Every structure is written in C-alpha cells, then in structure tokens.
Amino acid sequence: MEHVEFNKDLIEFLNSSPTPWHAVSTMKSRLDAAGFEQLDERDDWSLDRNRGYYVIRNGSSIVAFRTGNKDVSTSGIRMVGAHTDSPCLKVKPNPELRRKGYFQLGVEVYGGVLLNPWFDRDLSLAGRVTLLDEAGEVQDVLVDFRKPVGFIPSLAIHLDREANNNRSINAQTDLPPVLMQVSEDDTTSFADLLSQQVAAESGIKARKVLGYELSFYEAQRAEFVGLRNEFVASARMDNLLSCYIGLQSLIHTSGDEAALLVCNDHEEVGSMSAEGAQGPFLTAVLDRWCGAGKARAIAHSMMISADNAHGVHPNYLDKHDENHGPILNQGPVIKVNHNQRYATNSRSAALYRHISDELGLPHQTFVVRSDMGCGSTIGPLTAGNLGVTTLDIGVPQFGMHSIRELIGAEDGFTLFRVLAEFMQREKVF
Ligand SMILES: [Zn+2]
C-alpha cells in the first residue's frame, strides 16, 4: 500500500499550504532539502549540467527544473504544469464592518467559488503581509492563523422557510465572516490584528502594515475518508494535488534527462498576470536556460498539464457523457476537448497511455457532454505560448471549487508514477 505513505505526505503538504504563497514556500523547503538551488531573476545565471534549480516569482509561482546532462536543444525537456491557487474568499483592503457589536470582515470572491459550502465552517485566515518593520525596511511576511478565527453563519431555516427550495447567495451581503465581538467604542483595525499575529508568529514587530493579500480557508485538516479509507478529503485539492504530484515526480527522479515543473498562480481567474500561465514567467526561464537552442528544445519537449477532473457523481449521473464518466480510484483522466479548451491531442494522449500501459496502471478519458460547456486550465495557454505539444490530465474528484473536495486515494499515486517515468524518459518526441 505505497499510496498510503504517499497520501500521508500529501496531507501534510496540503495542511501546510493554505494559500499560493504558503504552497510555494512548502515546495521551496522540499526543493532545498533535495539539493535544488534557488535562482533570482535579478541576477546573472550560469547553469551547470546535472543540477537542480528553481525560480520563484511574486512568492506565489515557481519554476523548478533539472538540467540533465545532455544538450536540451536535441534532447528536449519533460515538463509538468499545475496551478497554486484555489477559489476562496479574500479580505478586502478596508475590511472592517461593525454591526451590533460583531466585528466582521468584508470579502471579495476569488475565482469560481462554490459558495454554499462556506457557511457554518470553521474558517482560518492566511496569506502574505507587506509591512514596514522597526528598522524601517519594507518586507513580506507570510501569516497563517492556523486555528479557526472566522465563521459565516447560515440564516436559520425558521427565519427563511424557503431556504431549501430557493436560497441564493448575495456575495456582497451574505458572506462577511464574523471574527469577534467588540464594544461600542472599539476602534481595533484589521491592520492591528495582523500586526499582533505577525509578531506572535514570526517575532517581527511591524511599525505599519502597508498591504496584504489574505484569504479565508477551511480550518479542518485534510483527512482520509471512507470505510476503507478509499478517499482523501481536503480544501484546495484543485490544484495543490497536482503541484504535489509534479514536485514529487521531479524530486524523486534523477538521471540524464532535463525535466521541469511549473506551478502558476492565478489560474482560477484566467491566468493573465506577471506570474500566471498567460504571462511570460515560464518563457523567461526557458529563454535563459536554453538560449538560442530554445526553439529546437521545445520541438523535442512535451508538457503535461495536470489539473483535477470531474468524477461522475453517483447522484447526478446525467451530467457526464455516458462513455466518459471518470470513476474515483480508476486512474488519472486524460482530458480531451477538440475545441481546445484542453490542449490534449492524440499524440500526447497516446504517449501517456503508452507509458501508463507499460507500468500496468489504469487511465480514463474525459470529454464533456456535447450539450454542455467545457472548463479549461493552463494547458492550452502554455501550449499556445510556447508551442509545445501538451497533454491535459488530472485526478478525478468530487466537489470541484467547494471548500472541501474529495479524491480517490489511489489516483494521485498512479499519476505520480507515470509522471516520474515521463520525467526520466530518454525520448519524448
Ligand atoms: Zn484547477
């Protein structure tokens, strides 16, 4: 049961990564421990063969790569992509709301949040704070309250008899979480609370909080679920699961071949940002690594874009095409959309199936119902930007974009085994 150990470590990874900044920081520690060297985009780089490197942008996106011992212009790069962000509620810049002695925070909906499950949950708060420290320096600090500090109470059914039939959610008025009770004359600002938290967590005394990006998250920890532990439940499974799988694949393979992992922020809001998949981050790293050989290197390369897929829900069977309803624990899902919402083509799908078959592992294929719209991911964006042959794949899950999502306990490990083999494969195309 190798997948049990794999999932235990995955659970730790998820629990220590409540935001994209924390996810990147978690990946950084693991890369450091595995001997990878951090590169700064402001510096000159001189890259050696047979070395591991990583580059971080905005603290929330990361490119990690292993140079291999061949000329990349003729051997290509085995690339895996994923995204670090998940839909959530982010704290507004001037968030304080005081009503009847309740101190609440105004929140902005980030990405396509499934809002209903956010009610009546124990919420914690984490993210990045930029502050002026005692020495007069501006610095970024990560904060994570770790314990439940907020709650969005449902309105009781007695006060809304129609709740089970037609309750809808107004994101402006219904969502502000309650943080504490205060007296009439209380003037506590959210910045004061943040300064206290930063001091308690990292010992840094803030002269002033200058900015922050903070999000609420479910305080309940990731956990095995199911009578036989068939499932793993967690917040942010989409898409920290794929970040974890990509990272494990890169760290646990070595050898002669060049391999790369890119984990971008901002996928949930369209990927157009300095560190998003529509931005220039990956291209900038490849330009500096491959130099004049980049076009040839890309022609020898393949990108596997990993992002979770929708498992067919036993209570809503008609939401999937009858021949393309992925089942949890029956293997990763090759995502096909000929209208290019997914970048998979028959060649990239074939290579995946071939490797997976060689290892004796299962795989499934998804195509959306012809009368429904299709989601998308970073695959087509990266394919379009780089011109690299791309596969979109993902572990099937339930409840995508809910505050807590469910996967099968075997599928992550299966995808890891195939990606690890892909990353050390001598010939791609
Ligand atoms: Zn996703």
Side-chain angles (χ1 to χ4, degrees):
M1 298 284 272
E2 284 166 294
H3 72 77
V4 175
E5 288 312 309
F6 179 87
N7 283 313
K8 282 184 181 162
D9 191 50
L10 164 68
I11 285 170
E12 276 213 24
F13 181 87
L14 291 162
N15 288 341
S16 56
S17 307
T19 73
W21 292 277
H22 290 84
V24 167
S25 154
T26 307
M27 286 191 262
K28 172 183 161 47
S29 336
R30 289 173 173 236
L31 287 162
D32 287 340
F36 282 67
E37 183 187 325
Q38 182 164 10
L39 300 169
D40 187 319
E41 289 194 274
R42 295 169 294 191
D43 295 342
D44 231 2
W45 297 353
S46 74
L47 304 181
D48 294 328
R49 289 218 177 154
N50 265 327
R51 285 280 297 151
Y53 298 96
Y54 66 90
V55 193
I56 292 173
R57 191 177 275 197
N58 183 45
S60 62
S61 290
I62 185 166
V63 177
F65 57 98
R66 194 176 65 223
T67 51
N69 69 4
K70 297 177 182 167
D71 178 354
V72 286
S73 69
T74 55
S75 66
I77 304 166
R78 291 119 200 89
M79 300 189 226
V80 171
H83 65 88
T84 57
D85 60 322
S86 303
C88 62
L89 304 181
K90 297 215 179 196
V91 182
K92 288 183 174 176
N94 300 319
E96 300 89 350
L97 302 170
R98 291 180 172 82
R99 298 162 176 158
K100 297 284 182 190
Y102 295 103
F103 183 95
Q104 296 169 264
L105 294 181
V107 288
E108 181 182 2
V109 177
Y110 174 82
V113 180
L114 190 61
L115 289 172
N116 264 306
W118 281 75
F119 289 79
D120 309 324
R121 308 303 292 240
D122 303 347
L123 301 178
S124 191
L125 191 57
R128 175 176 71 178
V129 180
T130 304
L131 52 81
L132 188 67
D133 66 18
E134 280 195 312
E137 298 289 328
V138 175
Q139 61 165 304
D140 295 327
V141 186
L142 298 192
V143 293
D144 180 4
F145 283 73
R146 287 174 184 272
K147 62 168 198 150
V149 295
F151 202 85
I152 310 172
S154 283
L155 182 63
I157 194 161
H158 315 77
L159 305 178
D160 178 9
R161 290 287 179 190
E162 284 302 302
N164 285 335
N165 298 324
N166 59 12
R167 178 175 289 177
S168 59
I169 297 166
N170 179 312
Q172 171 66 20
T173 57
D174 296 347
L175 293 180
V178 174
L179 252 72
M180 59 179 175
Q181 285 186 297
V182 292
S183 60
E184 283 287 286
D185 53 353
D186 180 84
T187 55
T188 309
S189 72
F190 182 57
D192 296 337
L193 298 172
L194 271 183
S195 298
Q196 289 163 20
Q197 179 63 22
V198 168
E201 241 182 82
S202 43
I204 296 166
K205 291 219 171 80
R207 217 190 273 175
K208 193 176 184 187
V209 169
L210 296 169
Y212 56 77
E213 288 179 65
L214 295 162
S215 48
F216 282 97
Y217 70 93
E218 189 200 38
Q220 190 182 349
R221 304 276 134 175
E223 185 62 84
F224 284 96
V225 172
L227 264 181
R228 302 192 175 101
N229 288 341
E230 293 98 328
F231 310 108
V232 182
S234 173
R236 303 175 301 283
M237 212 48 114
D238 168 18
N239 191 24
L240 292 184
L241 170 63
S242 305
C243 293
Y244 175 77
I245 294 168
L247 183 71
Q248 292 299 97
S249 307
L250 186 65
I251 286 176
H252 291 286
T253 52
S254 55
D256 301 341
E257 309 308 331
L260 174 149
L261 170 69
V262 54
C263 296
N264 288 112
D265 196 359
H266 296 144
E267 189 272 347
E268 300 292 357
V269 293
S271 293
M272 180 49 97
S273 71
E275 52 279 352
Q278 287 212 59
F281 184 31
L282 177 57
T283 308
V285 172
L286 289 174
D287 282 343
R288 297 176 72 170
W289 174 11
C290 306
K294 188 179 113 183
R296 292 184 67 200
I298 285 173
H300 284 286
S301 300
M302 180 163 131
M303 160 70 76
I304 296 185
S305 159
D307 198 354
N308 295 356
H310 303 294
V312 61
H313 192 308
N315 300 346
Y316 303 90
L317 294 174
D318 63 349
K319 293 293 180 189
H320 279 73
D321 178 279
E322 62 187 300
N323 287 346
H324 301 90
I327 311 275
L328 271 53
N329 283 322
Q330 291 191 9
V333 181
I334 295 167
K335 300 194 259 183
V336 175
N337 181 270
H338 291 110
N339 292 294
Q340 301 304 310
R341 300 286 292 166
Y342 299 130
T344 305
N345 63 28
S346 54
R347 264 183 109 204
S348 60
L351 183 77
Y352 183 92
R353 291 192 186 107
H354 179 53
I355 298 176
S356 179
D357 289 346
E358 277 182 351
L359 296 170
L361 295 170
H363 48 77
Q364 312 181 70
T365 304
F366 172 78
V367 59
V368 77
R369 278 180 65 106
S370 302
D371 55 2
M372 282 173 66
C374 187
S376 193
T377 178
I378 64 166
L381 304 173
T382 311
N385 273 342
L386 288 185
V388 66
T389 302
T390 299
L391 171 77
D392 272 304
I393 195 157
V395 165
Q397 68 158 98
F398 291 145
M400 193 175 284
H401 292 189
S402 174
I403 196 167
R404 198 164 176 85
E405 304 169 320
L406 195 75
I407 60 160
E410 292 176 36
D411 296 323
F413 186 61
T414 302
L415 183 56
F416 158 71
R417 286 188 58 195
V418 179
L419 295 193
E421 170 58 26
F422 164 71
M423 279 189 167
Q424 54 196 355
R425 207 162 179 89
E426 195 177 331
K427 187 167 173 351
V428 179
F429 288 123

